[in-house]
Amino acid sequence: MPDNRDSAEGAPIITVRAMSKRFGDFEALTDISIDVRRSEVLCLIGPSGSGKSTLLRCMNFLERYDEGEVRMEGELIGWRDDGAAPRRPLPSAVLREQRKHIGMVFQQFNLWPHFTALQNVAEALLRVKRLPRDEAFARAEAALGKVDLADKAGNHPSGLSGGQQQRVAIARAIAMEPRVMLFDEPTSALDPELVGEVLSVMKQMAAEGMTMVVVTHEMGFAAHVADRVAFLDRARLVACVPPAEIFGATPADERIRAFLQTYR
Ligand code: ADP
Ligand code: MG
């Protein structure tokens, strides 16, 4: 894993400014401004339908935001930055270039069933990064080692548990050496006994300085691993604060209190 702690720790990697997103007449995100700082773990929590996935997906332009800006190290994500109105999206080759720096892990693992774990991790390095085969496979092996699956490199997804499959998906993202990793409920599809192994890999990544945005219902992870916790409710960012302000004391905001009640 690249050492992200070498420079400017705490400086924003992603800045979201006054960002709004509609689906037809429905406003899924309203006037969101938030930074993702280098080497931080930012957890996104909030009720179902509050806009967490949409916010994550706007960060890599899987969803086109309508208003405002998402920038990665200053560069406008998704839209051409030429001041033209209406805005036009970037050419797909440029967008692909931007996305190389943003890893994403979904609830569903999306592994290729006919490939081994190792091939699954190597594939993006071959196709997207166009690395030579031996280099791609060497990097893929190292990435599998990071998620503690060196011994399962030859298994196909059908021969892996859900937790192991999700760790392969994480290895696949790590191998690309992204500047930031986005996780959308990475443990929600797992049997309860498999959640821990995935969270512990994520915790390890955090300790090594990876910048991470994590949508999660794992309040223990948010409380103990996050540097900051953002709470979304009905398309709005209600708070973005250190976890102690949400989990330690009684939160001032009634919406946060009501949400946390559902976990007791
Ligand atoms: P969360 O991840 O917090 O559960 P989402 O970001 O998935 O919430 O969704 C926020 C709101 O936007 C929900 O009301 C959802 O129904 C709506 N939504 C999400 N994606 C679409 C879409 N592609 N088309 C229409 N509505 C959508
Ligand atoms: Mg969601």
Side-chain angles (χ1 to χ4, degrees):
M1 202 173 301
D3 184 3
N4 296 319
R5 291 199 184 276
D6 53 358
S7 64
E9 182 165 353
I13 288 194
I14 294 180
T15 53
V16 178
R17 287 290 171 273
M19 194 260 280
S20 298
K21 167 68 188 170
R22 285 180 297 277
F23 293 109
D25 289 339
F26 177 79
E27 198 152 282
L29 293 172
T30 303
D31 194 22
I32 304 284
S33 294
I34 192 169
D35 289 343
V36 183
R37 301 171 186 159
R38 190 179 306 273
S39 289
E40 85 166 333
V41 177
L42 175 63
C43 280
L44 299 183
I45 65 170
S48 178
S50 57
K52 304 180 298 297
S53 295
T54 304
L55 175 53
L56 211 62
R57 292 165 62 83
C58 283
M59 286 182 180
N60 63 1
F61 215 61
L62 283 177
E63 298 288 358
R64 291 183 182 188
Y65 50 97
D66 296 301
E67 254 74 64
E69 296 188 338
V70 178
R71 290 183 184 270
M72 182 174 52
E73 296 184 329
E75 193 178 319
L76 191 65
I77 295 286
W79 296 111
R80 289 177 207 245
D81 200 2
D82 56 7
R87 292 193 282 200
R88 290 180 307 147
L90 286 167
S92 53
V94 181
L95 187 55
R96 268 202 304 280
E97 215 37 62
Q98 291 184 334
R99 284 189 179 139
K100 279 185 195 171
H101 302 297
I102 309 174
M104 182 128 186
V105 174
F106 300 89
Q107 186 173 330
Q108 300 305 330
F109 327 123
N110 305 314
L111 300 178
W112 285 293
H114 55 293
F115 281 172
T116 64
L118 187 65
Q119 288 168 329
N120 265 284
V121 177
E123 190 61 17
L125 298 171
L126 293 166
R127 278 200 210 178
V128 183
K129 288 239 173 177
R130 300 191 181 285
L131 293 185
R133 277 194 84 74
D134 50 348
E135 199 182 326
F137 278 89
R139 255 216 232 175
E141 247 182 88
L144 281 177
K146 289 273 182 200
V147 300
D148 224 13
L149 282 178
D151 57 331
K152 302 286 184 202
N155 288 34
H156 286 76
S158 58
L160 297 169
S161 73
Q164 291 168 336
Q165 288 183 58
Q166 187 61 300
R167 286 189 280 147
V168 172
I170 292 173
R172 181 174 56 183
I174 290 176
M176 297 290 287
E177 299 184 342
R179 294 178 197 164
V180 54
M181 293 258 306
L182 311 178
F183 295 84
D184 195 354
E185 300 197 26
T187 61
S188 292
L190 300 175
D191 292 332
E193 74 272 21
L194 303 177
V195 168
E197 64 190 63
V198 171
L199 294 180
S200 106
V201 159
M202 291 168 62
K203 203 169 160 178
Q204 176 66 26
M205 291 168 69
E208 293 182 26
M210 179 61 80
T211 306
M212 297 161 55
V213 185
V214 185
V215 174
T216 189
H217 292 285
E218 295 294 330
M219 293 302 131
F221 183 85
H224 296 113
V225 182
D227 295 291
R228 291 184 302 154
V229 178
F231 180 81
L232 282 165
D233 184 67
R234 297 187 190 197
R236 290 181 185 275
L237 184 65
V238 173
C240 183
V241 294
E245 290 182 34
I246 287 189
F247 301 107
T250 304
D253 194 286
E254 196 269 324
R255 291 165 290 187
I256 302 177
R257 289 203 304 272
F259 174 74
L260 291 178
Q261 283 296 329
T262 64
Y263 285 88
R264 299 225 166 90

